[in-house]
Amino acid sequence: MIYPKEKITIDHHNHVKYSQDFHYSEAEMIDRSASFYEHLNKRRSIRLFSDQSIPKSVITNLIRTAATSPSGAHKQPWTFCAISNPQLKSKIRIAAEAEEKISYESRMSTRWKDDLKALGTDMHKPFLETAPWLIAVFKKTYDLNDQNQKQNNYYVNESVGIACGMLITAIHNAGLVTLTHTPSPMNFLADLLNRPVNEKAFMLFPVGYAAAEVYVPDITRKSIEEVSAFYE
Ligand SMILES: Cc1cc2nc3c(=O)[nH]c(=O)nc-3n(C[C@H](O)[C@H](O)[C@H](O)COP(=O)(O)O)c2cc1C
């Protein structure tokens, strides 16, 4: 057991005892970490969806999982909006494609468009209608107190980014697929979903099964040597 050098004084008044009830042997740990990696390494961004329905309870569990994310000063500065309503999905598709058209035609740099060529993406986003669910994630840069005064939240982008990572992982774990979608600017989402003034669209995730026949870009991930540095 390693003890901190300096004694940390905690006011236990506001604390509850934490029991880590999921200890594994070293062998189990090696096995679990390896198999979790292998499973997550199968995740791909999917841009062609089946319209097969997914129970609402599954979507609720995915959101529950994402909302277990840590957040700056525990402000939990997020709202997850789940949309299955076909009319609303159509409106989202139309608005997203309108923004993407402008982006592809004038907002994106030549280098950006060159980088996207390998992925084969364009302004058409049929998956926004085909996928049975869309999860629009909103960040709350500030909360409003009882007097309607702005109370800034902390590390909002980091917090909501981590929550989105956990959402993506939960989707994959459930045997479903998604796409991290950022039709920028995304202000149309707050309008269409009637969100309060302190919520700003952060990411849009279509969720469902992949279409029966799907192709994904033939890309590779950086090696462990390229993405890590160990100091032992
Ligand atoms: C922050 C972020 C924004 C992204 N935005 C889009 C997007 O708007 N449209 C899209 O088709 N893919 C988008 N992607 C997906 C990436 O292109 C994809 O993750 C990358 O090519 C790696 O492929 P993989 O997810 O299959 O491993 C985005 C990914 C991230 C992390």
Side-chain angles (χ1 to χ4, degrees):
M1 181 77 90
I2 300 165
Y3 291 98
K5 285 202 185 89
E6 289 165 43
K7 195 169 177 293
I8 300 168
T9 43
I10 297 171
D11 175 7
H12 285 283
H13 186 67
N14 292 320
H15 287 66
V16 288
K17 192 168 164 55
Y18 179 75
S19 306
Q20 189 185 351
D21 57 3
F22 44 89
H23 273 286
Y24 305 111
S25 69
E26 207 168 284
E28 280 174 312
M29 216 189 295
I30 291 167
D31 193 50
R32 288 176 64 93
S33 57
S35 55
F36 192 63
Y37 157 65
E38 273 157 30
H39 181 54
L40 273 202
N41 196 28
K42 291 188 185 141
R43 184 207 56 79
R44 291 302 309 267
S45 291
I46 298 300
R47 299 175 176 86
L48 198 60
F49 281 72
S50 152
D51 63 1
Q52 192 179 331
S53 65
I54 306 292
K56 182 180 171 183
S57 61
V58 172
I59 302 299
T60 308
N61 285 336
L62 300 177
I63 294 173
R64 273 200 182 106
T65 306
T68 66
S69 170
S71 63
H74 193 46
K75 291 295 177 185
Q76 306 174 78
W78 45 60
T79 304
F80 301 88
C81 296
I83 304 122
S84 65
N85 179 291
Q87 288 79 31
L88 204 43
K89 285 196 295 177
S90 290
K91 284 183 187 169
I92 290 172
R93 177 185 176 179
I94 289 165
E97 288 185 339
E99 290 295 356
E100 292 284 87
K101 186 172 190 300
I102 304 170
S103 291
Y104 276 89
E105 284 175 359
S106 58
R107 282 196 285 246
M108 287 170 167
S109 65
T110 311
R111 193 171 76 88
W112 191 351
K113 278 189 275 194
D114 282 348
D115 279 339
L116 286 177
K117 263 185 200 148
L119 305 179
T121 57
D122 61 25
M123 54 157 285
H124 300 289
K125 310 294 170 191
F127 53 80
L128 293 176
E129 281 183 296
T130 328
W133 288 94
L134 305 178
I135 302 180
V137 183
F138 288 84
K139 67 173 182 183
K140 295 180 178 180
T141 310
Y142 60 91
D143 285 318
L144 290 168
N145 68 10
D146 297 344
Q147 285 88 50
N148 226 25
Q149 291 160 329
K150 288 184 184 179
Q151 310 284 301
N152 279 340
N153 289 325
Y154 317 100
Y155 292 109
V156 171
N157 290 322
E158 292 84 347
S159 302
V160 184
I162 293 170
C164 286
M166 293 177 64
L167 179 66
I168 294 167
T169 309
I171 292 168
H172 185 72
N173 175 64
L176 300 170
V177 300
T178 190
L179 170 70
T180 308
H181 190 30
T182 44
S184 169
M186 284 194 278
N187 301 337
F188 65 88
L189 281 174
D191 295 339
L192 287 173
L193 302 174
N194 232 345
R195 301 312 306 163
V197 286
N198 64 330
E199 292 190 10
K200 199 169 182 324
F202 189 78
M203 264 173 209
L204 182 58
F205 295 98
V207 182
Y209 292 102
E213 191 173 342
V214 179
Y215 294 84
V216 291
D218 187 10
I219 51 178
T220 51
R221 298 195 163 121
K222 289 181 180 175
S223 68
I224 185 69
E225 290 76 20
E226 287 172 291
V227 302
S228 63
F230 285 80
Y231 303 83
E232 291 174 89

